[in-house]
Amino acid sequence: MKGQVPESQALSLGAFLRSLRERQDPAAHGLVGGRRRTSGLRREELAQLCGLSATWYTWIEQGREVSVSPATLDRLARGLRLSRAERHYLFELSGKRDPDRADAGDDPPETMLDCVDLIDGPSYVLDRSWTARRWNAKAARLFAGWLDAGGELNLLRYIFLRPEARSLILDWAMRAQRVVAEFRAATTSHVDDIAVRSLVDDLNAASPDFARCWAAHTVLAREGGERTFKHPADGLLHYQQVSMSFAGWPDFRLTILMPMLDRRK
């Protein structure tokens, strides 16, 4: 039936909504008093907040094949007070294209990728599956076991499968969890992409840490901020990370690490 969510997407949508509902603080929604056996909002409470039928919302969360309109998605997004990344993910899971997302082309021209060589700091370009497509010499020196090895170039495989990543990245567990949440949000519109699906399946099988992060259904917008590394030769290195998409090629992202002054000085 037109407008219905395919079964695999419907199950993912239900799991995502359940995860969001269980993370809600009832008091933040003006719901106080009474004992609760589980955390978060009850299904009927969320349905009431969103102006939906409790039975119909339950069907959505159970992964049934029901038609979900953009207006309903908007109510859910507002009722759950979703972030921009979470809202985008909700629409994509429901088979509704985010109107703010530009259509992607194929690959950027080589001259555009070559921009990393002009940047005075570790820099690299990732494609839609977060595989490095171009990087400069400083990035190769920083990311031992990833950009210097001439082998597997996928960022997630490096973080979760290479021992060098755990010793290089300070606060590895926190950073790894955030990277998975950012990857989930960034690749929602590519759920049928063979490379993306194969990557997720492989990592779920090979890394319990990745499987746990992926099962959390957390989504976050990809943001910059301070990054600290413990390099085997150069010691502690502090950077400010900036990440941006290429105009016309939103699935290709340039990441720049700008050196920060040593805070101990």
Side-chain angles (χ1 to χ4, degrees):
M1 183 182 297
K2 184 178 180 180
Q4 288 188 338
V5 181
E7 183 177 358
S8 60
Q9 287 182 288
L11 292 172
S12 295
L13 174 62
F16 180 55
L17 287 172
R18 182 173 61 254
S19 175
L20 290 170
R21 176 176 59 80
E22 291 174 349
R23 295 202 298 267
Q24 297 293 306
D25 179 5
H29 295 274
L31 302 173
V32 295
R35 298 184 60 184
R36 293 176 178 268
R37 291 178 297 177
T38 58
S39 59
L41 296 174
R42 302 184 180 97
R43 285 174 174 169
E44 60 269 24
E45 291 174 335
L46 177 57
Q48 184 176 8
L49 287 171
C50 298
L52 303 174
S53 160
T55 299
W56 193 66
Y57 171 76
T58 299
W59 288 349
I60 298 175
E61 193 172 288
Q62 289 175 342
R64 299 194 186 188
E65 293 187 18
V66 296
S67 179
V68 184
S69 69
T72 297
L73 296 174
D74 180 68
R75 289 185 179 185
L76 287 168
R78 293 178 184 275
L80 287 163
R81 302 174 183 178
L82 301 187
S83 67
R84 183 176 179 179
E86 290 169 336
R87 179 186 174 94
H88 174 72
Y89 185 66
L90 177 68
F91 272 75
E92 292 293 339
L93 274 183
S94 305
K96 306 299 187 299
R97 186 72 173 173
D98 187 339
D100 294 332
R101 183 179 176 85
D103 290 333
D106 294 322
D107 287 0
E110 290 295 310
T111 53
M112 186 175 291
L113 296 177
D114 287 341
C115 70
V116 295
D117 293 325
L118 304 177
I119 300 172
D120 187 21
S123 304
Y124 54 88
V125 177
L126 300 180
D127 62 17
R128 69 166 54 176
S129 66
W130 288 24
T131 297
R133 298 291 292 273
R134 195 64 55 87
W135 58 93
N136 61 16
K138 290 187 176 181
R141 177 175 175 81
L142 173 62
F143 292 103
W146 179 34
L147 300 180
D148 69 332
E152 173 58 58
L153 294 175
N154 184 268
L155 177 59
L156 289 169
R157 292 185 190 276
Y158 167 69
I159 290 176
F160 285 95
L161 302 181
R162 294 298 296 257
E164 299 96 328
R166 294 176 183 260
S167 58
L168 174 69
I169 302 171
L170 226 60
D171 297 324
W172 179 91
M174 181 188 70
R175 295 304 315 159
Q177 184 175 12
R178 182 174 183 91
V179 165
V180 173
E182 293 173 346
F183 179 77
R184 179 183 279 276
T187 59
T188 310
S189 58
H190 309 308
V191 291
D192 294 324
D193 184 282
I194 295 176
V196 173
R197 293 178 62 179
S198 177
L199 173 65
V200 172
D201 290 344
D202 288 350
L203 286 171
N204 269 321
S207 171
D209 289 317
F210 177 87
R212 182 172 57 255
C213 293
W214 188 256
H217 287 273
T218 305
V219 292
L220 293 169
R222 196 169 186 205
E223 300 174 347
E226 186 174 342
R227 302 289 186 268
T228 303
F229 302 93
K230 187 177 181 181
H231 194 270
D234 301 333
L236 282 179
L237 300 172
H238 306 283
Y239 294 97
Q240 189 72 23
Q241 178 175 299
V242 177
S243 182
M244 62 196 79
S245 295
F246 285 100
W249 293 270
D251 295 326
F252 283 75
R253 296 189 66 85
L254 168 66
T255 295
I256 303 172
L257 294 169
M258 300 183 296
M260 297 174 62
L261 296 176
D262 191 334
R263 294 171 299 180
R264 295 171 299 180
K265 294 181 180 179

